[in-house]
Amino acid sequence: RHHSEGNEKRYVTFEPDHGGWNNIRMGMETAALFAWSTGRILVLPAKARLYLVSKAAKAHGPFDFYDLDLITNGGGVTTTEEYLKERTGTSVVEGCQDEHLASCKALHFKLRDLAHTVLWKPRTDFLVLGTRFGAPDDTTTRSIKKHAAGRKLIDVDRHPSHNATTIHFATDAKRDLRFLTHFYTFMRWASASMGRAARRVARDELRYRREIQCAAAEVIDLLKEKANGRNWTAIHVRRGDFQFSEAKVDANAVLKAVDSVAQDTLVYVATDERKRDFFAPLAQKYSLVFLDDLATKGSKLQAALLEDPNWAGMVEQLICGAAPVFLGTWWSTFTGYITRIRGYRGLRPSTFYVLPKYRDAFIKTSKPVGGAAWWREWPTGFEDIDDDHRLFAFAGEMSGHVHEDLHDASE
């Protein structure tokens, strides 16, 4: 907070996206970084059965998959129930007594009523944060305008919502109120140092919980052992309820893509394709490994998946994020997060896509286009985010992922 601001509690509330986990994650990151940048307390959404991450009938809040200790240390957080009690004297919402709080529409209306509900849209609006600490210099101002690409610039610190007790982000697809965007393509900071700090928060504090990290690190070690010193490949093949038919290629196209980049015969496959026969053309040439093959009795992976089978996809993202070579699915936000993890780890030069016309898109020089730009990650999110001394220390951590007793696959 700026020294001129008082000690009154101020909050950020938001409604999670209605899509799959990685769409939810993108909105969650935006809300978390907005709260951090504005000195507000982040209100954690109530638990719900989230789309495609509700196996074993489990309900989650979006932050349940993350190390909450890190998030709490990084800035103030509170639960929806605690927030309601603080603001209204009770955690009970009228009309929600007979159903799960998070699935009750009355809760969303209540959160909107308690806040200044902003109508900012990633397609048309571009937020500038931190001007209360000083206006951007001329170079930064020109860069911000270029990054906005015609979108309306909104100075958050001078917006009418700035003094509101709570700022609320609603989700309403009919009104294009959906934060299907990367935080760094929707928001910029008034100084480069603040921008780097915010992106470090995303990397260092918004990270999967330890059980997920440890399970992934165990698998990475096994794959390294199987590879016997050679460079193994990981692929993400999206086959399920994916609306982009062009990217749902057949096995021969996947084989051709793997042939073009693989440096050895060991290939880890992350996929939602349920029929392994689909991968028969690859199996004739490569040694394929799937997550289920490695969940052996007594393993950290088995323990993690028994605790919560919904962690499987997150484990796979960390595995693919560490692979010496990776091929992903264009337009997939699951692949997208893998590529950002790889960017953090310095693996951008060996990160590719299966579709031939986009194969080398991630390794080419590029900056995000205007608008939501959700369909892939961009170098803005992971490059030039450390000062030199921090970068040197981080590179040292990247040389191995074993830290005392904790295996951390995305350090």
Side-chain angles (χ1 to χ4, degrees):
R1 281 193 171 191
H2 191 266
H3 63 80
S4 66
E5 296 172 304
N7 294 320
E8 176 195 0
K9 290 182 179 179
R10 295 183 179 182
Y11 302 90
V12 171
T13 54
F14 73 102
E15 299 165 28
D17 192 83
H18 299 149
W21 162 245
N22 285 282
N23 296 356
I24 295 169
R25 172 188 54 76
M26 291 162 71
M28 178 201 78
E29 287 180 336
T30 298
L33 268 297
F34 182 91
W36 178 86
S37 300
T38 55
R40 291 174 175 269
I41 298 169
L42 177 68
V43 179
L44 306 177
K47 294 181 183 293
R49 293 188 64 184
L50 303 175
Y51 179 59
L52 297 180
V53 279
S54 59
K55 293 178 181 176
K58 284 185 174 287
H60 303 89
F63 288 91
D64 289 356
F65 304 112
Y66 281 76
D67 188 333
L68 274 177
D69 288 341
L70 288 173
I71 296 170
T72 301
N73 292 337
V77 298
T78 191
T79 66
T80 295
E81 292 80 3
E82 290 168 344
Y83 167 73
L84 289 170
K85 194 169 183 178
E86 176 78 18
R87 294 296 312 278
T88 69
T90 178
S91 60
V92 176
V93 176
E94 185 178 353
C96 294
Q97 291 89 338
D98 298 325
E99 59 180 306
H100 202 287
L101 183 62
S103 60
C104 178
K105 290 184 178 180
L107 170 64
H108 296 161
F109 294 134
K110 186 68 174 179
L111 292 175
R112 295 174 190 182
D113 287 345
L114 288 172
H116 185 127
T117 299
V118 291
L119 302 179
W120 300 328
K121 304 173 183 179
R123 296 178 192 275
T124 58
D125 301 310
F126 192 67
L127 310 187
V128 180
L129 296 154
T131 60
R132 65 192 185 281
F133 297 103
D137 58 30
D138 291 343
T139 300
T140 303
T141 297
R142 288 193 296 270
S143 177
I144 288 172
K145 289 180 178 179
K146 184 177 180 180
H147 195 170
R151 289 176 287 176
K152 180 181 178 182
L153 290 176
I154 295 175
D155 184 339
V156 171
D157 290 344
R158 287 166 174 74
H159 189 266
S161 65
H162 176 66
N163 292 319
T165 299
T166 304
I167 293 177
H168 180 71
F169 294 98
T171 295
D172 186 345
K174 292 181 179 179
R175 292 191 289 168
D176 199 25
L177 294 175
R178 186 184 181 195
F179 291 104
L180 183 61
T181 187
H182 308 297
F183 69 90
Y184 58 84
T185 60
F186 180 44
M187 303 188 295
R188 277 284 297 269
W189 287 262
S191 73
S193 60
M194 274 192 288
R196 285 194 292 269
R199 286 174 284 159
R200 287 196 299 271
V201 169
R203 182 191 68 190
D204 300 338
E205 296 176 16
L206 297 178
R207 57 168 60 185
Y208 288 142
R209 55 191 297 160
R210 292 188 174 195
E211 297 93 332
I212 297 171
Q213 301 275 358
C214 289
E218 179 185 66
V219 172
I220 293 165
D221 284 343
L222 287 171
L223 291 168
K224 285 181 177 179
E225 185 179 339
K226 285 178 177 289
N228 195 25
R230 296 183 294 273
N231 284 338
W232 52 282
T233 300
I235 59 175
H236 170 228
V237 180
R238 180 71 187 272
R239 295 285 302 164
D241 62 335
F242 197 43
Q243 67 194 83
F244 301 99
S245 57
E246 184 182 355
K248 291 175 68 171
V249 298
D250 61 31
N252 287 318
V254 177
L255 173 60
K256 187 175 181 179
V258 173
D259 282 343
S260 71
V261 299
Q263 299 173 16
D264 195 57
T265 58
L266 182 64
V267 176
Y268 179 82
V269 182
T271 185
D272 56 357
E273 172 59 58
R274 297 184 179 182
K275 297 179 180 179
R276 288 207 185 180
D277 288 350
F278 172 84
F279 294 99
L282 278 81
Q284 292 175 11
K285 185 173 182 180
Y286 294 96
S287 176
L288 305 185
V289 180
F290 297 81
L291 192 68
D292 291 346
D293 301 334
L294 304 173
T296 54
K297 186 176 181 180
S299 65
K300 289 183 176 70
L301 176 61
Q302 183 196 52
L305 298 185
L306 286 174
E307 183 170 348
D308 193 337
N310 299 288
W311 292 347
M314 298 157 207
V315 170
E316 294 206 286
Q317 285 180 311
L318 295 178
I319 295 167
C320 293
V325 180
F326 173 70
L327 276 159
T329 299
W330 188 258
W331 290 303
S332 164
T333 52
F334 183 97
T335 279
Y337 192 46
I338 291 170
T339 62
R340 196 199 316 163
I341 292 170
R342 294 180 65 78
Y344 291 150
R345 298 176 68 94
L347 293 171
R348 183 183 175 193
S350 58
T351 302
F352 308 94
Y353 298 96
V354 170
L355 276 180
K357 68 180 180 180
Y358 298 119
R359 195 197 76 161
D360 298 332
F362 198 68
I363 64 176
K364 291 179 178 178
T365 301
S366 62
K367 291 187 177 181
V369 297
W374 59 265
W375 55 88
R376 55 160 290 186
E377 293 276 351
W378 307 85
T380 305
F382 56 82
E383 291 188 344
D384 188 31
I385 66 175
D386 287 291
D387 298 327
D388 288 345
H389 69 282
R390 288 194 180 99
L391 183 59
F392 180 80
F394 187 71
E397 294 174 2
M398 286 293 86
S399 64
H401 56 263
V402 180
H403 298 266
E404 299 176 353
D405 294 330
L406 173 63
H407 288 256
D408 194 332
S410 71
E411 272 283 311

